[in-house]
Amino acid sequence: MKKIFARIWAVWTAIAFFSTMVVFFIPFLLFVYFLPDPKRTVRFLSFARVWMGVFLPLCGCPMRIKGRQHFAKGENYIVCCNHNSFMDIPVSSPAIPGGNKTIAKSDFVKVPLFGLIYKAGSVIVDRKDENSRKQSFGKMKKVLADGLHMCLYPEGTRNKTDQPMKPFHDGAFKLSLETGKAIIPGIIFNTRKIMPADEGLYVLPHPIDIHFLAPIIPLDSDTVASLKERVFNIMSNYYAANAKS
């Protein structure tokens, strides 16, 4: 019965997402899309927070945020989030205070309407294209230079293992060392329960929690490996200690 309900709820969630997206798209196109960055991103996020504030409760997944005080006024950060589900991106971007961009795969760029919205809030990367990966690093530096936060998922892909987190890739930590920007961990809970990675058409209503932790400042003695290990241990331990079965 649980799986049958989850399939039905997934259909309702899809209807809620696309119907609210169509309503959101009109003001997005009129008042956001043609603006230059970083103003476009800041305004996009203000609209997206309203959109997600409607969509998430409609699908029974209200968002609860803890730790916003760690974002100091006038500072911008590299935000590292864990990645368990497709639900993580629509949660993390509006939850982060202020303007921010998310690293995102190129797969959805060509989807009508949604592709335009997707690009506005993201640094797009084609992971199969080495040149695209190199260019995306420069674009992320530009995001930070513009005073925006840069949100990354250092696990790379969704965590389908039984471990709190998968091993991290180097990108976020190389970016931190080269720009001097501190890393704020963002720990997302419950999205794996809502939309498990291996279930296909499956959504269960459940509140989503995201906890932002204190900034981790790169040290002069840090290497990519040491900074990555430090952030991984903090995030993995926090997730394991606070996740509820």
Side-chain angles (χ1 to χ4, degrees):
M1 287 299 295
K2 183 178 179 180
K3 284 195 174 186
I4 293 172
F5 173 78
R7 309 288 184 210
I8 295 170
W9 198 255
V11 173
W12 161 245
T13 299
I15 292 169
F17 181 83
F18 286 108
S19 59
T20 54
M21 183 191 74
V22 169
V23 174
F24 168 78
F25 186 78
I26 297 169
F28 165 78
L29 194 61
L30 291 175
F31 304 114
V32 176
Y33 184 71
F34 296 103
L35 292 173
D37 259 332
K39 188 175 182 179
R40 179 174 68 167
T41 299
V42 173
R43 187 171 294 181
F44 166 74
L45 263 297
S46 66
F47 279 69
R49 289 184 186 101
V50 175
W51 177 21
M52 289 298 108
V54 174
F55 163 68
L56 290 173
L58 275 178
C59 66
C61 302
M63 181 166 56
R64 303 178 298 201
I65 305 168
K66 180 179 178 181
R68 281 196 182 110
Q69 73 276 10
H70 294 306
F71 290 82
K73 187 176 181 179
E75 297 290 337
N76 62 321
Y77 301 90
I78 297 165
V79 183
C80 286
C81 294
N82 57 315
H83 194 13
N84 287 323
S85 165
F86 282 129
M87 291 289 286
D88 296 329
I89 293 175
V91 168
S92 59
S93 288
I96 295 169
N100 67 89
K101 283 188 180 288
T102 301
I103 192 74
K105 296 186 294 183
S106 59
D107 305 43
F108 299 111
V109 168
K110 295 182 180 179
V111 177
L113 301 186
F114 178 72
L116 294 178
I117 297 171
Y118 187 73
K119 286 194 295 183
S122 307
V123 170
I124 303 297
V125 59
D126 182 351
R127 290 175 180 164
K128 299 176 184 178
D129 186 329
E130 184 178 351
N131 189 49
S132 175
R133 294 199 302 271
K134 289 179 180 178
Q135 288 179 351
S136 69
F137 193 80
K139 290 176 182 177
M140 289 189 289
K141 283 186 171 181
K142 176 66 165 54
V143 168
L144 293 169
D146 283 343
L148 303 170
H149 307 299
M150 187 67 228
C151 181
L152 296 162
Y153 300 88
E155 293 168 284
T157 56
R158 288 170 293 160
N159 180 13
K160 299 180 182 180
T161 74
D162 59 356
Q163 298 302 307
M165 290 178 197
K166 290 166 49 181
F168 285 174
H169 294 284
D170 291 348
F173 313 100
K174 182 181 177 184
L175 185 63
S176 176
L177 290 176
E178 291 196 12
T179 61
K181 295 296 181 181
I183 293 171
I184 287 188
I187 318 296
I188 303 170
F189 297 98
N190 302 323
T191 54
R192 184 182 291 189
K193 299 174 185 175
I194 294 165
M195 190 181 287
D198 55 355
E199 285 287 354
L201 187 68
Y202 185 106
V203 176
L204 284 175
H206 195 291
I208 300 169
D209 292 281
I210 179 164
H211 295 180
F212 295 112
L213 309 186
I216 300 168
I217 300 170
L219 306 174
D220 291 341
S221 59
D222 265 325
T223 62
V224 169
S226 67
L227 182 58
K228 178 172 66 174
E229 181 180 13
R230 188 148 49 101
V231 175
F232 178 85
N233 288 338
I234 289 171
M235 291 181 65
S236 182
N237 291 340
Y238 188 92
Y239 184 91
N242 292 275
K244 297 176 181 178
S245 59

